């Protein structure tokens, strides 16, 4: 006998999978910045955000043309917009590879000064 099971909205997967987050980071238009800001306000979404960032950086590293200015701008925006709890994770993501795409993102993240604001020197 076939029984149809219905699941509540709380049990369904969230629409913020890593590919969707990577697409949002890549576009980074006004609606996308609002979406990412809401994600960063919710600590439960931290893993999805970091996974999407890794996916975005991996895609950029594998692309035929390396758009370093775009990567640097994404790092700059995320460094300014991210709360203190995410600054270390963003820095770890930027340092996870020696590829030029990661270095460009890391340059933007460093220019934002987010890590220094979150954890000032004593």
């Amino acid at each position: 006998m076939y029984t149809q099971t219905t699941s509540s909205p709380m049990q369904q997967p969230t629409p913020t999978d890593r590919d969707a987050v990577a697409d949002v980071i890549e576009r980074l238009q006004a609606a996308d910045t609002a979406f990412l800001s809401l994600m960063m306000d919710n600590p439960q979404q931290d893993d999805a955000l970091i996974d999407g960032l890794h996916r975005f950086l991996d895609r950029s590293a594998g692309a035929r043309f390396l758009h370093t200015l775009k990567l640097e701008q994404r790092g700059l925006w995320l460094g300014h917009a991210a709360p203190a709890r995410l600054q270390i994770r963003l820095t770890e993501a930027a340092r996870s590879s020696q590829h030029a795409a990661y270095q460009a993102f890391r340059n933007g993240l460093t220019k934002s000064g987010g890590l220094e604001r979150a954890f000032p020197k004593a």
Side-chain angles (χ1 to χ4, degrees), residues 6 19 38 49 66 84:
T6 59
D19 289 324
L38 284 174
L49 178 71
L66 184 61

Side-chain angles (χ1 to χ4, degrees), residues 3-21:
T3 58
Q4 183 178 7
T5 59
T6 59
S7 60
S8 71
M10 297 300 289
Q11 295 173 340
Q12 293 185 4
T14 60
T16 55
D17 66 345
R18 69 185 198 149
D19 289 324
V21 174

Side-chain angles (χ1 to χ4, degrees), residues 5-117:
T5 59
T6 59
S7 60
S8 71
M10 297 300 289
Q11 295 173 340
Q12 293 185 4
T14 60
T16 55
D17 66 345
R18 69 185 198 149
D19 289 324
V21 174
D23 292 340
V24 168
I25 294 171
E26 190 166 343
R27 284 189 312 260
L28 203 63
Q29 297 171 352
D32 300 326
T33 59
F35 174 76
L36 288 173
S37 295
L38 284 174
M39 273 190 82
M40 288 187 275
D41 287 342
N42 185 356
Q44 287 87 17
Q45 294 290 326
D46 288 356
D47 290 334
L49 178 71
I50 297 299
D51 288 344
L53 176 62
H54 278 287
R55 181 72 175 139
F56 166 70
L57 291 171
D58 289 342
R59 281 185 194 168
S60 298
R64 290 183 64 179
F65 178 73
L66 184 61
H67 199 305
T68 56
L69 182 60
K70 177 180 171 181
L71 288 160
E72 191 170 318
Q73 289 173 341
R74 298 312 183 263
L76 189 64
W77 186 86
L78 281 169
H80 281 296
R85 72 173 192 282
L86 284 174
Q87 292 296 333
I88 290 177
R89 294 187 72 184
L90 290 172
T91 304
E92 288 173 351
R95 292 183 178 171
S96 63
S97 176
Q98 293 298 318
H99 192 277
Y102 287 79
Q103 289 176 345
F105 179 78
R106 185 171 52 238
N107 288 341
L109 198 59
T110 303
K111 286 180 183 178
S112 74
L115 189 61
E116 288 79 21
R117 282 191 314 275

